[in-house]
Amino acid sequence: MKTLTLLRHAKSGWDDPVARDYDRPLNGKGKRAAAMVGRHMRSLALDFDHVVASPAVRVVETLDEIVAGYGRTLAPVWDRRVYLASSATLLDIVHGLPAEVERALLVGHNPGLEDLVLMLVPDAVDALRDAVEQKYPTASLAELQFETDDWGDVATGRARFTRFVRPRDLDPTLGPDAD
């Protein structure tokens, strides 16, 4: 069995005067949310054999905060293809994961991550899928499992959706209606 965990970067600062979207940093709320999600990952004893991440500043900073809460080094492979990637590109990246990897973490951006979840999880009555369809908020974590030994077999409608964690589920002040 293969487990794919998808993490969207934390909330970034739109009012930060950067020249490129790629260079946009996290804001204070994003830093708090990422650290909280990292602590939650530690409490769940989540473990990853391989991490692939967008090299955008907001993803790098998200992972710094996740690691602070998680208490473990993640050592990502920085892959520029993840930056603002479509679900099809993200699926290509998943198909290319090393065969020996059982539990992978992919850290990136929307709408690609949300679209990937909706592509891989069967379109059926499922509270987790419905929540993602409504919104895949920043710093949210989605875990998908596949009954296969080959990442190349990961395909549309084949995932079992096992976990969806939003920062507001952990701390309501990190929800959309809070500062």
Side-chain angles (χ1 to χ4, degrees), residues 54-70:
S54 162
V57 170
R58 59 191 178 273
V59 173
V60 173
E61 290 183 357
T62 295
L63 283 172
D64 288 346
E65 296 298 330
I66 289 283
V67 165
Y70 185 53

Side-chain angles (χ1 to χ4, degrees), residues 102-119:
E102 296 297 323
R103 300 182 60 83
L105 174 64
L106 178 59
V107 189
H109 311 265
N110 251 6
L113 290 175
E114 178 178 328
D115 292 345
L116 184 62
V117 170
L118 297 175
M119 174 196 304

Side-chain angles (χ1 to χ4, degrees), residues 7 22 50-57 59-60 63 75-86 88-98 105-109 113:
L7 174 65
Y22 185 87
H50 192 73
V51 179
V52 179
S54 162
V57 170
V59 173
V60 173
L63 283 172
V77 172
W78 303 107
D79 188 332
R80 195 161 177 90
R81 294 176 299 164
V82 179
Y83 176 65
L84 301 181
S86 69
T89 298
L90 294 173
L91 185 57
D92 286 344
I93 292 166
V94 170
H95 286 160
L97 290 170
L105 174 64
L106 178 59
V107 189
H109 311 265
L113 290 175

Side-chain angles (χ1 to χ4, degrees), residues 5-12 14 34 37 58-59 62 66 105-111 113-114 135-142 167:
T5 303
L6 305 172
L7 174 65
R8 183 177 175 200
H9 68 79
K11 191 163 187 61
S12 58
W14 281 97
V37 169
R58 59 191 178 273
V59 173
T62 295
I66 289 283
L105 174 64
L106 178 59
V107 189
H109 311 265
N110 251 6
L113 290 175
E114 178 178 328
K135 185 172 184 177
Y136 193 130
T138 53
S140 292
L141 192 73

Side-chain angles (χ1 to χ4, degrees), residues 1-6 40 44 46 103 117 121-122 126-129 132 141-147 158-165:
M1 178 174 2
K2 301 289 188 185
T3 301
L4 176 64
T5 303
L6 305 172
H40 188 66
L44 296 172
L46 295 185
R103 300 182 60 83
V117 170
V121 175
D126 180 318
L128 296 178
R129 188 181 196 287
V132 167
L141 192 73
E143 183 183 83
L144 310 175
Q145 293 183 337
F146 302 90
E147 293 294 331
R158 296 278 178 92
R160 184 164 53 100
F161 202 173
T162 54
R163 185 183 330 267
F164 186 50
V165 179

